[in-house]
């Protein structure tokens, strides 16, 4: 049944995020070309403006798409679970765990895919821009020097720290995705208990949860920061790396907690109008 | 054999101490068309939601085929709620696949045949259908299952006489003969001819459970007029 | 064809009467297959168990027979059908006479009126 749930959940959400990401790819190409355009003909003033404009549009598109996909996933979750659609969703011959798990998995997958999509779009925009630069006055030597500098930075005395910092980020990304998903799922599951104001309840729950999480993370991270400030730290990675690990762990714990809370609320406190 | 549904001392208290069910005891037999009758606010919908696992009772117990409401009972209950529950961007065809995938007792050919007789195109999106047609599609999906229990919540409320006849015919033609049909309504006269039994509830309590034959032949009244008499006081 | 069932009388006897009448009137011909219980019940908008009971009663009265191959059919015993027809006619006449008497008509008056109404020569 979990397989079927996943299949149908995927089928019901894939379209809009895919369209949004495709639009973003298109804008990335435009932005890349826009950046390269002044080089074609530097005589015209307007082209410079165009270049800046295309990058601004691209920048806002990235923000829009990431927020848009999150919002879309949240709305789909809300609608399928707690509006009239819920009468079908909750009478399927599945357990609450299977149901919620399939929703969370597909939602997390899409948040991940949107991050990948945004990363790719930036690569496209940057790639096109670099490609044009290379055709023009940009020299290979400068490029090689730049890469060499980066390599030096990584392999120098902070090399090991950089690697562990990178591992911290790699750990934090999935933690962040799962945590982000569970924040949405959790706040909607709490918010639906407010009869007749479910949406408002969900938004309220989201802000309340965020605030609580912020306070918790402050309480945890602050002493560590103080420790480093007081003792004098020679390297910024000494602060950043453990912070990432701790934040990642905290997000994991919160995500698991929110999952069980949501499951309990859906099983015991479902409130369809 | 024991009843299909056994309800013992069932209580549901909502927030603010509003009691919807108050120690309800009830056995719903197998193979019968049963009317769940009562005025608005008598607890009909609350009972139906508990049967379908959409609400958790405050106290007491419900057993369907000996099991408490859950994934297992949901596989054997076909439920028609008062609301239309479609995701409007879906096509009719996709809905059929959805039902066929989740419910083993879903009979695709039967659903197709009924849709065809109503001239509903399977490629149509739900949002392009009229409200009345959507309700019919939902009824077709629900009645295309060979369930043990059909729970139909106010199936004929707010429809015109032609639609009402269509609904009644569809129910009778398609329900699984060994199954029980539990049908809640406050429009008794429209539906009483198809009932075997009636359950009258008021203020969350069982007032009366009897056969239609008993009412008609012993009391010499229609169910509707008997209902009015019982609830007049 | 609407069944126009009366809500105050037992459904069972009403559908029984109706099918019986349809057989007597030849709407269901001798030997003709009768629709399934479910179809008849859906058509009449009545409970299938009630319809089943009515058909069982018709079977008991030998107006309907169940064949192993083709299900329920109308009897081919024409005498049986004629008898039923006469029986139903008698019921109608009795009912009519009862009402006319209630209105205060005597036997003679009724006969004269009947002849007049049916276009027959006057006595």
């Amino acid at each position: 049944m979990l397989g079927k749930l996943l299949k149908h959940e995927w089928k019901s959400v894939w379209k809009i995020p895919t369209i949004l990401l495709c639009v973003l790819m298109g804008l990335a190409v435009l932005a890349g070309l826009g950046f390269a355009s002044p080089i074609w003909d530097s005589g015209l003033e307007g082209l410079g403006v165009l270049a800046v404009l295309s990058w601004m549009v691209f920048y806002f598109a990235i923000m829009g798409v990431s927020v848009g996909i999150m919002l879309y996933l949240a709305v789909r979750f809300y609608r399928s679970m707690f509006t009239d659609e819920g009468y079908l969703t909750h009478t399927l011959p599945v357990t609450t765990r299977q149901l919620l798990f399939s929703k969370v998995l597909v939602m997390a997958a899409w948040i991940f895919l949107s991050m990948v999509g945004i990363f790719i779009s930036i690569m496209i925009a940057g790639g096109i821009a670099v490609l044009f630069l290379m055709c023009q006055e940009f020299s290979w030597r400068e490029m090689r020097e730049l890469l060499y500098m980066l390599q030096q930075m990584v392999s120098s005395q902070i090399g090991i720290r950089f690697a562990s910092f990178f591992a911290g980020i790699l750990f934090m990304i999935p933690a962040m995705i799962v945590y982000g998903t569970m924040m949405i799922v959790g706040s909607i599951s709490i918010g639906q208990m407010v009869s007749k104001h479910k949406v408002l309840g969900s938004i309220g729950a989201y802000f309340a949860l965020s605030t609580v999480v912020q306070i918790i993370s402050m309480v945890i991270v602050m002493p560590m920061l103080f420790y480093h400030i007081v003792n004098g730290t020679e390297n910024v990675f000494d602060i950043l790396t453990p912070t990432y690990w701790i934040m990642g762990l905290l997000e994991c714990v919160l995500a698991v907690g929110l999952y069980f809370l949501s499951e309990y609320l859906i099983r015991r406190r479902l409130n369809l109008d | 054999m024991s009843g299909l549904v056994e309800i013992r001392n069932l209580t549901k208290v909502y927030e603010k101490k509003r009691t919807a069910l108050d120690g309800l005891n009830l056995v719903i037999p197998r193979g019968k068309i049963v009317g769940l009758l009562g005025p608005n606010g008598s607890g009909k919908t609350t009972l139906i939601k508990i049967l379908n696992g959409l609400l958790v009772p405050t106290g007491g117990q419900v057993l369907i085929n000996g099991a408490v409401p859950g994934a297992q009972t949901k596989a054997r209950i076909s439920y028609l709620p008062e609301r239309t529950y479609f995701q409007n961007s879906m096509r009719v065809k996709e809905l059929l696949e959805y039902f066929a995938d989740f419910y083993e007792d879903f009979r695709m050919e039967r659903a197709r045949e009924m849709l065809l007789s109503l001239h509903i195109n399977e490629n149509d999106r739900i949002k392009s259908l009229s409200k009345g047609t959507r309700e019919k599609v939902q009824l077709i999906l629900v009645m295309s299952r060979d369930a043990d229990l059909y729970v139909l919540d106010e199936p004929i409320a707010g429809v015109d006489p032609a639609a009402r006849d269509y609904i009644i015919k569809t129910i009778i033609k398609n329900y699984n003969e060994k199954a029980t049909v539990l049908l809640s309504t406050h429009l008794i006269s429209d539906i009483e001819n198809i009932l075997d039994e009636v359950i009258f509830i008021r203020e969350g309590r069982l007032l009366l459970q009897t056969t239609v034959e008993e009412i008609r032949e012993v009391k010499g009244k229609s169910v509707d007029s008997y209902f009015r008499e019982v609830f007049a006081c | 064809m609407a069944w126009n069932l009366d809500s105050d009388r037992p459904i069972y006897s009403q559908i029984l009467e109706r099918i019986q009448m349809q057989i007597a009137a030849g709407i269901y011909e001798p030997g003709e297959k009768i629709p399934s219980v479910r179809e008849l019940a859906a058509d009449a908008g009545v409970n299938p168990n009630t319809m089943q009971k009515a058909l069982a009663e018709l079977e008991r009265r030998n107006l309907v027979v169940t064949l192993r191959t083709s299900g329920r059919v109308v009897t081919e015993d024409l005498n049986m059908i004629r008898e039923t027809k006469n029986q139903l006619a008698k019921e109608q006449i009795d009912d009519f006479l009862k009402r006319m008497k209630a209105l205060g008509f005597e036997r003679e008056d009724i006969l004269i009126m009947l002849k007049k109404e049916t276009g027959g020569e006057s006595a």
Side-chain angles (χ1 to χ4, degrees), chain B residues 80-233:
Chain B
L80 182 77
E82 278 184 279
R83 317 295 188 95
T84 43
Y85 49 43
F86 300 128
Q87 189 188 325
N88 285 337
S89 61
M90 269 174 116
R91 291 176 200 277
V92 174
K93 192 171 57 186
E94 291 168 329
L95 254 164
L96 291 176
E97 286 162 14
Y98 191 87
F99 266 69
D101 248 10
F102 283 112
Y103 299 109
E104 278 176 25
D105 57 8
F106 185 71
R107 302 288 169 257
M108 186 66 104
E109 325 77 63
R110 205 195 290 172
R112 288 231 161 95
E113 217 170 275
M114 281 192 267
L115 290 170
L116 203 66
S117 71
L118 283 180
H119 309 291
I120 294 169
N121 187 336
E122 284 183 25
N123 285 316
D124 283 348
R125 286 187 194 279
I126 298 296
K127 64 176 148 226
S128 73
L129 304 175
S130 71
K131 184 172 172 283
T133 309
R134 276 179 220 182
E135 285 169 356
K136 282 180 185 153
V137 170
Q138 189 160 313
L139 178 75
I140 287 172
L141 290 170
V142 167
M143 294 314 298
S144 294
R145 288 181 55 195
D146 276 334
D148 285 345
L149 174 63
Y150 299 84
V151 180
L152 315 176
D153 197 0
E154 298 277 3
I156 55 163
V159 305
D160 59 72
R164 185 195 61 210
D165 286 352
Y166 176 81
I167 292 164
I168 291 175
K169 278 194 169 74
T170 305
I171 296 168
I172 294 174
K173 273 201 183 131
N174 294 288
Y175 83 102
N176 171 8
E177 271 176 62
K178 293 183 198 95
T180 286
V181 180
L182 182 68
L183 213 155
S184 95
T185 187
H186 61 276
L187 304 165
I188 301 165
S189 61
D190 283 338
I191 220 150
E192 62 170 281
N193 287 349
I194 73 164
L195 302 177
D196 285 298
E197 287 199 6
V198 288
I199 294 166
F200 287 179
I201 64 171
R202 181 167 64 183
E203 289 167 3
R205 286 195 209 134
L206 179 68
L207 204 62
L208 181 77
Q209 180 176 16
T210 182
T211 63
V212 172
E213 205 172 69
E214 168 79 16
I215 296 176
R216 283 177 181 275
E217 277 162 35
V218 180
K219 305 250 179 352
K221 295 189 176 80
S222 73
V223 177
D224 191 33
S225 50
Y226 187 58
F227 178 84
R228 282 166 208 275
E229 190 182 296
V230 168
F231 280 93
C233 45

